[in-house]
Amino acid sequence: MKLHLLVASFLAASVAFAGAASAESILRIKPSGDVKALDPMLGSDSMARNYGYMVYDTLFALDADLKIQPQMVEKWATSSDGKIYTFTLRDGLKFSDGAPITAKDVISSLKRWSVNDSLGQQMMTNGATFVEVDNRTFTLSLSKPWGLVLDALGKAGAPVPFIMPARVADATPPTTPVTDYTGSGPFMFLAKEWVPGAKLAFVRNPNYTPRAEPASGLAGGKTAKMDRVEWVIIPDQQTALDALGKGEIDINEDLSADLIPLAKETKGVTVAKQDDIGVAQQIRLNTIKPPFNNVKIREALLYAVNGDDFLAAVISDPSLGKACKSFYTCSSPYHTEAGFPSPDLETAKKMVAESGYDGTPAVLLDATENANIHAFVTVADQLLQEIGIKTKVEAMDWATVTSRRASKEPVDAGGWSIFISGPGGLDFLEPVGHLGLRSNCEKAWFGWPCDADIEAMRASFADLTNLDERKALAEKIQLRALQTVPYIPIATQYQIRTYRNDLSGLLTPPAPVYWNVERK
């Protein structure tokens, strides 16, 4: 209740301020969640990633056709043996404090990013060393050719290899959030205006130089056409839709499916897909603590989960989601259903009964302000009980889920067993960058699956250049993952965004971005 009052007061004050200072253009957005840590390099939090795209830029980026394009880089070259890359930055790049962006800043940023990222880890495993040549030029040397260098530097999923000042990257351990928010991107974060749980504010970065090309996906000219952007945290979806209809906010991200009919009837509002790849809805399992440290119980869940049943709890329009029996998203060139079992509840019950289950309750983290996640948790809770697993559902907000899931304590001491999440589909297209299949123990995503065979095959994937060979290896990785069960895929689901009709220039990359947006 207190938070709702705070949001309402903020909206009223913001609208009044806009009237008094009409010369300033302001874009108000209800993001899909709150931002817990203002550091996009810490891990896989999508909200931290979205914040990062406001404040930072990257060396390379994906365009609207998912092709890698230079962003901060002006030119690059590769040695004849494929082991040395030479990169030159665009002339005149500056941080938001006006300081020039140098090769030293880039090297420090990439070293910090590589600690927490799957592709970064593999790049370093291939002997990556960086050398500063001059202020705008640096080299990346590898011990052997590795075909994913540009893919890694242009990686769109969290954690993204954003560029920050060397003084910040060098002084802040990769497990600790930065406190200096100086950025390299099109907007500047206003730390003094941050109200945790209610508002984040950004203004146009006067020192940012966009590329000359038109904006395309996450690449091209990132021109901030609005003076100021405000993120208004509104946990209740109905409240957010009401605010959009009244013009108190301009954009409402991640509209729940049950409100789509109402949104379509709201005057002055457009309803559209937020992107075309969708998110990889999944049940993430804590594989190091009971009950899901028992692989037989994890395997039973593969038989128990029917993606169509989960989707039916949140959507009625089949164009908004699809259950793919695969660890790869539906749109992936490596998508395969090889080895994936068909749903069979009786088999799941039998497997649990034969697993040696000790009765430890499964603790499900329920982000109740997210209607989609809450509905999925409800379905999962019922399903677990049906196959003989005790459960305990703990209600919280998404920001708390992102903190709690880092805990490795037992479930009766603040730990967890399951959280349900929908990371961007880009992170589930191929094995190397795959967030969910990573099985490198302590360095894997939350749940910490551990399997040397999967890791060896993921490493080999990057050495292949033939598509058929890559598809064959991707299938082998899936077959092994069906034995180790790092997580349970549910479905690919498409996010819906609603916005005021007087806006133009909205882009539809896999992460929501708000450069190029203006009023008609």
Side-chain angles (χ1 to χ4, degrees):
M1 183 63 182
K2 289 181 179 178
L3 181 58
H4 290 174
L5 288 173
L6 183 61
V7 170
S9 299
F10 163 68
L11 286 171
S14 296
V15 172
F17 174 79
S22 57
E24 184 181 44
S25 56
I26 304 177
L27 183 69
R28 293 188 180 86
I29 300 163
K30 192 284 287 181
S32 59
D34 195 5
V35 184
K36 190 73 172 180
L38 298 174
D39 190 335
M41 288 190 185
L42 289 188
S44 55
D45 181 14
S46 60
M47 287 309 304
R49 174 202 63 191
N50 299 350
Y51 159 85
Y53 276 114
M54 296 289 288
V55 177
Y56 302 101
D57 208 350
T58 53
L59 296 182
F60 291 85
L62 289 177
D63 66 14
D65 297 321
L66 302 183
K67 295 178 180 177
I68 294 287
Q69 301 292 347
Q71 191 60 30
M72 297 176 74
V73 162
E74 177 182 286
K75 60 182 180 181
W76 72 98
T78 310
S79 63
S80 57
D81 62 3
K83 295 195 291 187
I84 301 175
Y85 289 75
T86 302
F87 300 98
T88 301
L89 300 176
R90 287 194 286 138
D91 191 19
L93 294 179
K94 294 180 180 178
F95 287 111
S96 54
D97 63 1
I101 297 175
T102 67
K104 184 176 188 300
D105 297 307
V106 172
I107 291 171
S108 295
S109 298
L110 295 180
K111 286 181 175 178
R112 185 171 187 266
W113 158 79
S114 67
V115 174
N116 292 325
D117 182 74
S118 172
L119 279 175
Q121 291 166 6
Q122 289 216 19
M123 189 165 70
M124 301 308 287
T125 301
N126 281 280
T129 57
F130 299 93
V131 174
E132 179 183 356
V133 177
D134 58 38
N135 279 346
R136 290 175 52 205
T137 308
F138 70 98
T139 60
L140 165 61
S141 300
L142 301 164
S143 57
K144 64 177 183 178
W146 188 60
L148 297 177
V149 169
L150 298 189
D151 299 81
L153 300 181
K155 179 177 178 289
V160 177
F162 290 119
I163 304 304
M164 57 179 56
R167 71 170 191 279
V168 179
D170 291 342
T172 314
T175 54
T176 303
V178 299
T179 55
D180 180 334
Y181 309 115
T182 304
S184 52
F187 293 97
M188 297 191 302
F189 175 60
L190 300 179
K192 291 183 178 178
E193 294 191 27
W194 183 28
V195 182
K199 186 191 81 168
L200 297 90
F202 310 83
V203 293
R204 180 189 291 123
N205 177 3
N207 295 303
Y208 182 76
T209 303
R211 293 190 69 90
E213 300 93 331
S216 174
L218 297 167
K222 298 180 178 179
T223 302
K225 297 184 177 180
M226 291 288 196
D227 298 318
R228 179 181 173 95
V229 176
E230 295 173 351
W231 288 9
V232 186
I233 311 303
I234 307 177
D236 182 71
Q237 293 266 7
Q238 180 67 65
T239 302
L241 185 56
D242 291 344
L244 183 71
K246 295 174 183 175
E248 295 173 343
I249 59 174
D250 300 295
I251 297 172
N252 179 20
E253 290 182 1
D254 199 14
L255 181 72
S256 60
D258 60 311
L259 290 176
I260 291 176
L262 182 59
K264 288 182 176 178
E265 294 176 358
T266 304
K267 286 186 177 180
V269 168
T270 295
V271 181
K273 280 185 181 177
Q274 199 159 295
D275 73 88
D276 293 322
I277 293 180
V279 298
Q281 298 288 7
Q282 61 189 268
I283 299 173
R284 192 68 184 177
L285 306 169
N286 187 341
T287 67
I288 64 172
K289 297 295 179 185
F292 296 119
N293 63 342
N294 184 331
V295 69
K296 291 297 182 184
I297 298 179
R298 301 201 300 271
E299 192 177 357
L301 285 189
L302 281 173
Y303 286 87
V305 170
N306 184 337
D308 289 327
D309 290 343
F310 280 76
L311 288 174
V314 295
I315 60 174
S316 56
D317 182 349
S319 70
L320 298 180
K322 183 179 181 183
C324 305
K325 293 192 299 181
S326 176
F327 286 105
Y328 306 103
T329 50
C330 304
S331 57
S332 166
Y334 305 107
H335 173 264
T336 173
E337 295 190 357
F340 224 93
S342 296
D344 185 339
L345 210 54
E346 293 305 314
T347 296
K349 291 178 183 176
K350 182 180 179 184
M351 294 177 76
V352 171
E354 295 174 350
S355 69
Y357 174 50
D358 64 0
T360 301
V363 173
L364 288 75
L365 307 184
D366 186 2
T368 53
E369 91 274 30
N370 186 311
N372 209 91
I373 290 177
H374 177 61
F376 282 174
V377 168
T378 301
V379 175
D381 177 38
Q382 184 176 2
L383 194 60
L384 289 167
Q385 294 183 51
E386 284 186 38
I387 63 174
I389 298 175
K390 296 178 181 177
T391 63
K392 181 181 180 184
V393 178
E394 296 193 11
M396 57 192 70
D397 59 22
W398 175 248
T400 303
V401 171
T402 62
S403 296
R404 179 77 173 271
R405 67 187 181 181
S407 171
K408 295 181 180 178
E409 296 296 323
V411 294
D412 59 357
W416 60 278
S417 307
I418 281 177
F419 71 87
I420 292 182
S421 178
L426 269 179
D427 290 325
F428 293 77
L429 290 177
E430 48 77 26
V432 180
H434 201 294
L435 187 63
L437 284 175
R438 284 169 57 185
S439 299
N440 49 351
C441 313
E442 293 290 322
K443 294 182 178 180
W445 201 36
F446 306 103
W448 310 283
C450 195
D451 187 72
D453 290 344
I454 287 180
E455 287 307 288
M457 287 190 282
R458 289 178 61 239
S460 298
F461 186 88
D463 297 328
L464 300 176
T465 57
N466 181 282
L467 180 61
D468 288 337
E469 291 178 345
R470 283 189 166 188
K471 285 182 175 179
L473 184 53
E475 183 173 307
K476 287 183 179 178
I477 293 172
Q478 168 153 307
L479 293 175
R480 177 59 184 163
L482 288 170
Q483 296 174 333
T484 64
V485 198
Y487 73 99
I488 308 294
I490 296 176
T492 295
Q493 191 176 355
Y494 301 103
Q495 291 180 296
I496 299 299
R497 175 168 60 187
T498 50
Y499 57 90
R500 300 291 302 176
N501 289 344
D502 62 349
L503 296 181
S504 65
L506 271 81
L507 303 168
T508 57
V513 295
Y514 294 108
W515 55 79
N516 201 54
V517 180
E518 59 187 336
R519 296 195 192 280
K520 298 175 184 174

